[in-house]
Amino acid sequence: MLIDRSTNASSPHQISLPNAIELIQNSVEQKAILLETSRDISVFIEDFAQNSADSAAIIPVHKLGTYHIVVTMPPDSRQSQIAVASLEDNTEITILFKMAVDIPFNIEGNTFRNGDVFNLRLDKFETFQIAHTTDLTGTLLNSSTPVAVFSGDECTKFMSRGACDHLVEQVPPFLTLDNVFILPSHAEDRITVVRITAGKDTNLTYKINSTTSGGLTLHTGNSQEISIYTNQTCLIESEGPVLVTSVSVASATTNNGDPYMTIVPGIHQYIDYYKVPIPYGYSTNYISITINSGAVSGILTNGTSILQSNKVYESSITAASGNFTVLTLSVTPGELTIQSSNHTPFGLLIYGHGEYVGYGFSGNTLLQDDL
């Protein structure tokens, strides 16, 4: 293996990648990046384009998997995208397409439609990107060895609000998905579009504040989409694992923040300590903490108790496993540690807004037993 760069890294440490690393559609390329360190670290990417940004948490190599379900969004005159990178030679990948609109498209001289299967072979560190003009949510990827899968959109917007921004997330393997989720709304008068996607048939319910929906059945590859508003909290309870994503819709009253997508952690993916970067260059930055209500007083940020002046929103919701409190706090750029002094696990979402731009990522998307 060729090592391109070695460094003694402080915390936090930023690595800038050249534009040449961007993937070319429908091309096998050797553009995967392997990052190895002498100590445990957390890694997040922040992806920039002109007046567009998003971010994602990166999954450790030893926790990658072989079965993934993809979530994109309806592209706004652009394309939804799927990218895959291989860790091993001779990795066989089978992609079963699910298209919101059955529009044929071409890969390597062959035409594919909704329900068709594309077979791909990648060697170590090789990558492949697929792009289509329709939403590809529910597309399934099976691979012979663990792979890294990313999905999102080249540019999209919702409800005719704001400008078109790109979305990107690393997709967790299906076996690491959860079945109970608590979703806070985004700050600053925003609608949050929530998408629940099933990798296998499952039944579920959801509750927004105190209003519970009837039972729903989602079949493999299908999704349920709901919307929550500022100062609302949503509880999703499913019989089987599901992938839950949220998209912040641009504000109707300000130019601060365009769409960004976040994979939402389930309550069995909560941990009791996080160290995350809060990016510079945004006018507002926030964290949302979801924790058992009896442990709220034990939350520490950078070693100190939560200041009342930093609280933006607080709510509570009851799940089958207990009562939970959701706290949204304003934070400043730089390295941030968040921990529970009594070691109670909690969920963490990080996001921020600037003029016509926004970002969002989660602190963890793996089951506790998989960490």
Side-chain angles (χ1 to χ4, degrees):
M1 179 179 66
L2 176 65
I3 297 176
D4 296 300
R5 185 187 306 177
S6 297
T7 186
N8 292 319
S10 58
S11 182
H13 185 78
Q14 179 174 300
I15 299 172
S16 297
L17 301 175
N19 291 338
I21 204 69
E22 183 176 339
L23 302 188
I24 299 173
Q25 181 179 335
N26 296 344
S27 296
V28 175
E29 305 172 275
Q30 198 168 48
K31 289 186 175 179
I33 298 169
L34 178 66
L35 177 65
E36 294 184 301
T37 59
S38 58
R39 296 183 180 181
D40 290 342
I41 61 170
S42 54
V43 179
F44 307 90
I45 60 169
E46 188 178 9
D47 189 40
F48 287 101
Q50 185 175 8
N51 296 324
S52 182
D54 201 0
S55 53
I58 300 302
I59 297 170
V61 164
H62 67 286
K63 295 305 178 186
L64 297 179
T66 59
Y67 177 54
H68 298 78
I69 183 165
V70 165
V71 173
T72 65
M73 292 290 163
D76 184 68
S77 72
R78 302 288 183 91
Q79 295 180 309
S80 55
Q81 297 174 322
I82 302 169
V84 58
S86 175
L87 293 173
E88 304 291 342
D89 289 338
N90 299 312
T91 298
E92 301 290 340
I93 302 167
T94 299
I95 302 175
L96 173 61
F97 289 115
K98 185 174 180 62
M99 305 176 189
V101 181
D102 188 8
I103 301 172
F105 74 127
N106 187 278
I107 305 175
E108 297 181 339
N110 297 306
T111 299
F112 294 87
R113 305 187 68 109
N114 183 49
D116 286 344
V117 173
F118 171 57
N119 294 304
L120 172 68
R121 189 187 67 81
L122 295 179
D123 286 331
K124 190 172 185 177
F125 299 151
E126 286 187 337
T127 56
F128 196 87
Q129 178 177 273
I130 293 169
H132 196 10
T133 55
T134 189
D135 187 352
L136 294 172
T137 294
T139 294
L140 304 175
L141 286 84
N142 279 285
S143 56
S144 60
T145 66
V147 293
V149 178
F150 292 78
S151 66
D153 289 77
E154 187 179 9
C155 210
T156 192
K157 66 179 179 179
F158 291 81
M159 305 176 186
S160 301
R161 291 187 176 186
C164 174
D165 268 34
H166 73 280
L167 311 175
V168 62
E169 282 291 325
Q170 183 171 4
V171 182
F174 179 78
L175 291 178
T176 70
L177 300 182
D178 206 352
N179 66 328
V180 182
F181 302 81
I182 297 172
L183 292 85
S185 56
H186 289 90
E188 300 181 11
D189 185 29
R190 294 170 194 281
I191 298 172
T192 300
V193 175
V194 180
R195 183 170 284 186
I196 310 162
T197 307
K200 293 183 179 179
D201 293 355
T202 190
N203 298 314
L204 63 89
T205 60
Y206 66 88
K207 177 171 69 174
I208 300 175
N209 286 356
S210 59
T211 303
T212 302
S213 74
L216 301 171
T217 298
L218 286 183
H219 296 294
T220 302
N222 288 350
S223 297
Q224 174 70 30
E225 195 168 285
I226 57 180
S227 295
I228 60 176
Y229 299 82
T230 295
N231 298 335
Q232 288 186 327
T233 301
C234 178
L235 168 69
I236 297 167
E237 296 180 297
S238 172
E239 291 179 358
V242 290
L243 180 61
V244 176
T245 52
S246 71
V247 173
S248 172
V249 178
S251 171
T253 58
T254 172
N255 295 333
N256 208 21
D258 278 332
Y260 50 89
M261 181 168 69
T262 306
I263 291 177
V264 180
I267 66 170
H268 304 103
Q269 297 169 327
Y270 295 174
I271 55 179
D272 65 3
Y273 177 89
Y274 301 84
K275 180 180 284 190
V276 297
I278 306 300
Y280 289 87
Y282 298 88
S283 54
T284 53
N285 297 278
Y286 302 96
I287 59 172
S288 283
I289 296 168
T290 303
I291 190 169
N292 188 283
S293 296
V296 172
S297 60
I299 290 290
L300 303 175
T301 59
N302 286 341
T304 62
S305 298
I306 294 172
L307 297 176
Q308 189 66 34
S309 59
N310 289 340
K311 288 186 180 180
V312 176
Y313 171 67
E314 182 174 354
S315 71
S316 59
I317 197 162
T318 300
S321 54
N323 297 319
F324 290 83
T325 295
V326 174
L327 288 173
T328 297
L329 309 174
S330 62
V331 292
T332 56
E335 184 177 88
L336 178 66
T337 59
I338 312 101
Q339 64 190 99
S340 169
S341 61
N342 56 13
H343 303 292
T344 301
F346 60 94
L348 179 67
L349 298 174
I350 304 97
Y351 63 95
H353 309 134
E355 187 173 13
Y356 295 112
V357 72
Y359 74 91
F361 60 93
S362 56
N364 177 58
T365 57
L366 301 174
L367 294 176
Q368 287 190 57
D369 290 343
D370 289 332
L371 291 174

